[in-house]
Amino acid sequence: MRAVLAFLFAIVSAPAWAAAPVSLDIGNKVQVWFQENHTVPMVAVTVALPAGSAYDPLHKEGLASFAAAMLDEGAGTLRSDAYHQALANKAIMLSVAPDRDYLVISLYTLKDNLKDAMNLLALALAKPRMDPDAVTRVRGQIVQSLLQNGEDPETQASNRFFQLFFGAHPYAHPTDGTIEGVSAITPRDLKLFTGTHWVKGGAKVTVAGDVDAKTLAPLLKSVFDPLADHEPPLPSLVKKFGGPAMASVAMAVPQSVIVFGLAGIRRADPDYLAGYVANHIVGNGDFSARLTNEVREKRGLTYSISTSFGDFREAGYIVGDVATKNGSVAETIGLIRSVLADYAANGPTAAELSDAKTYLTGSFPLAFASNVGIATQLNAFQRDGLPIGYVARRNSLVEALTLDDVKRAAKRLFDPSHIVVVVAGPPNSGKPRGKPARS
């Protein structure tokens, strides 16, 4: 694996590490990072607005996601079909990805069509139509998707996990909402939400590609100057998580899905990077990960098991998932607890840390191998509140981590006595039988 990583690093490191984003001042509250890159005649734009599901009002869960789905459903004088045709005529790719904190908009276009792309984005953000027929159609699509999710054990286990984990906090409800919440949303609700959350206050923008700053600045101003300049308040800080807890979602499925998790740490925490590396060692999903080795390789209980090291603006968390046959659920949960307990007590080995550093530093440049990758990755750093120079320092920060640093993070994060576990499967499939397995 190291040889492969060395080869990949060699072929992408020159353009990737030549990337040195600059801050572009467009004269308002919008934070803009820009990477000029004339390799191909394309431009990628990523925009994050403070319009995530954490801002959904009570009993109208799904409002942020519903509004996001309406972004390309007509604006200004263009109805839905005309707006879609305008995008298609210029081969402009526009997509949205609402999460719990932000609405993330991605735009990808030929250099020659950048002005048209920005005009269409400006129109969508400042003058969304919310025509009743489009609202009705999109609502039907969302409800149908939610109905399908109701039959998916992974989605159901994940939704229940976040409910247990975050309790009364708005991070607890699903990003795409509930059928009841979506059904209650009106065109007026959508208009009010976009007017107060599709704003320049708190907006994070990254641009990468074949354009210069002199050309780009006025185009960005045309997008954001018409928007309100207030910034929605942050969601409240999560001070207490729901663990320990265990719950089940009764579903008649041939294979149960287990979602499990623990409190993490927020991005600004000094131990964040050590925790990120610690999580990679125990749960990256590759054959090098401890959970994969113990649960899949040694015992054949699953095809895949992994953990993610996540952070919202006001909470950090670790969440993992695994699917296993119904008769193996109790054994699998016991083994997860055992592996995590050992890891918390003893931490990684020096060899595990060395391998993790090799992978994480070698694979990092791959995220910057295209304009889309550059814009996407830099915007993620913006949303995390990192400085613009972080991209140049990140690998040296990983290399500087000591074994004691990562052991400390593992002890802090992976104590299974605080774990939240949810099983989606037949009733009683997750009920413990006998003593937990030992690794």
Side-chain angles (χ1 to χ4, degrees):
M1 185 176 78
R2 293 184 182 185
V4 173
L5 284 172
F7 171 73
L8 292 174
F9 184 82
I11 63 174
V12 302
S13 60
W17 292 113
V22 297
S23 180
L24 189 62
D25 183 4
I26 61 172
N28 52 39
K29 294 183 178 181
V30 181
Q31 182 188 76
V32 180
W33 290 2
F34 170 52
Q35 174 60 60
E36 192 169 349
N37 180 9
H38 301 287
T39 305
V40 292
M42 306 290 292
V43 180
V45 182
T46 302
V47 177
L49 303 174
S53 65
Y55 297 103
D56 288 347
L58 189 64
H59 305 309
K60 294 191 177 180
E61 292 84 359
L63 178 58
S65 182
F66 198 159
M70 295 297 297
L71 182 77
D72 62 353
E73 291 291 340
T77 61
L78 301 177
R79 289 181 60 83
S80 176
D81 55 351
Y83 191 90
H84 287 148
Q85 191 60 53
L87 291 171
N89 287 343
K90 298 293 184 177
I92 299 166
M93 298 178 64
L94 179 66
S95 62
V96 295
D99 64 23
R100 281 174 166 81
D101 289 312
Y102 289 99
L103 164 62
V104 181
I105 304 166
S106 299
L107 184 149
Y108 193 40
T109 180
L110 287 166
K111 170 188 177 180
D112 292 344
N113 297 333
L114 180 59
K115 183 176 180 180
D116 295 299
M118 289 299 203
N119 287 341
L120 287 169
L121 178 60
L123 201 62
L125 292 177
K127 298 180 179 180
R129 290 179 64 94
M130 305 302 174
D131 292 320
D133 60 332
V135 170
T136 298
R137 174 170 45 79
V138 172
R139 187 199 316 276
Q141 294 168 350
I142 295 172
V143 169
Q144 183 60 37
S145 176
L146 290 170
L147 287 170
Q148 292 173 348
N149 288 342
E151 300 176 358
D152 178 54
E154 186 167 358
T155 301
Q156 290 303 299
S158 179
N159 287 348
R160 183 68 178 122
F161 169 82
F162 280 101
Q163 289 171 0
L164 282 174
F165 196 71
F166 287 111
H169 195 278
Y171 287 153
H173 71 261
T175 302
D176 49 2
T178 64
I179 292 176
E180 296 77 13
V182 170
S183 299
I185 293 167
T186 67
R188 183 175 182 273
D189 293 327
L190 293 164
K191 280 271 193 178
L192 288 174
F193 184 85
T194 60
T196 53
H197 290 273
W198 292 8
V199 294
K200 58 190 169 189
K204 314 289 186 184
V205 180
T206 49
V207 181
D210 192 10
V211 62
D212 57 55
K214 184 178 180 181
T215 302
L216 178 62
L219 293 176
L220 289 175
K221 283 178 64 65
S222 71
V223 173
F224 292 100
D225 278 355
L227 304 182
D229 62 2
H230 78 273
E231 182 173 353
L234 285 170
S236 60
L237 178 67
V238 178
K239 297 180 179 179
K240 184 178 180 181
F241 299 96
M246 185 166 179
S248 61
V249 181
M251 303 184 72
V253 290
Q255 184 170 246
S256 295
V257 172
I258 305 164
V259 173
F260 58 96
L262 292 155
I265 45 182
R266 296 168 67 206
R267 196 61 177 81
D269 192 293
D271 273 343
Y272 182 89
L273 202 54
Y276 180 83
V277 174
N279 177 74
H280 175 85
I281 292 169
V282 76
N284 67 67
D286 199 352
F287 292 114
S288 63
R290 286 201 182 184
L291 283 169
T292 299
N293 185 49
E294 295 292 340
V295 180
R296 173 180 172 169
E297 290 302 290
K298 289 186 178 180
R299 295 167 179 84
L301 295 173
T302 187
Y303 181 79
S304 175
I305 180 170
S306 63
T307 58
S308 299
F309 198 68
D311 56 283
F312 301 142
R313 294 180 77 181
E314 296 300 320
Y317 64 97
I318 299 165
V319 62
D321 64 273
V322 59
T324 189
K325 59 185 180 181
N326 297 328
S328 299
V329 168
E331 181 184 2
T332 301
I333 293 173
L335 184 56
I336 291 169
R337 291 178 181 273
S338 178
V339 170
L340 296 184
D342 177 73
Y343 191 57
N346 301 304
T349 66
E352 285 175 321
L353 177 57
S354 177
D355 286 346
K357 287 182 176 182
T358 298
Y359 178 83
L360 292 172
T361 57
S363 62
F364 184 62
L366 297 175
F368 300 86
S370 68
N371 289 329
V372 171
I374 292 169
T376 300
Q377 187 65 62
L378 290 179
N379 195 264
F381 290 160
Q382 281 183 301
R383 300 195 304 271
D384 282 342
L386 294 168
I388 197 168
Y390 179 79
V391 63
R393 299 174 53 235
R394 187 269 194 180
N395 273 2
S396 63
L397 294 173
V398 172
E399 291 288 7
L401 291 170
T402 67
L403 189 59
D404 285 342
D405 291 332
V406 182
K407 284 185 174 182
R408 181 181 67 251
K411 183 176 182 179
R412 176 180 175 184
L413 294 169
F414 290 99
D415 179 358
S417 65
H418 304 294
I419 200 168
V420 174
V421 179
V422 176
V423 180
N428 301 318
S429 61
K431 186 176 291 185
R433 299 184 184 95
K435 296 179 179 180
R438 295 294 178 183
S439 60

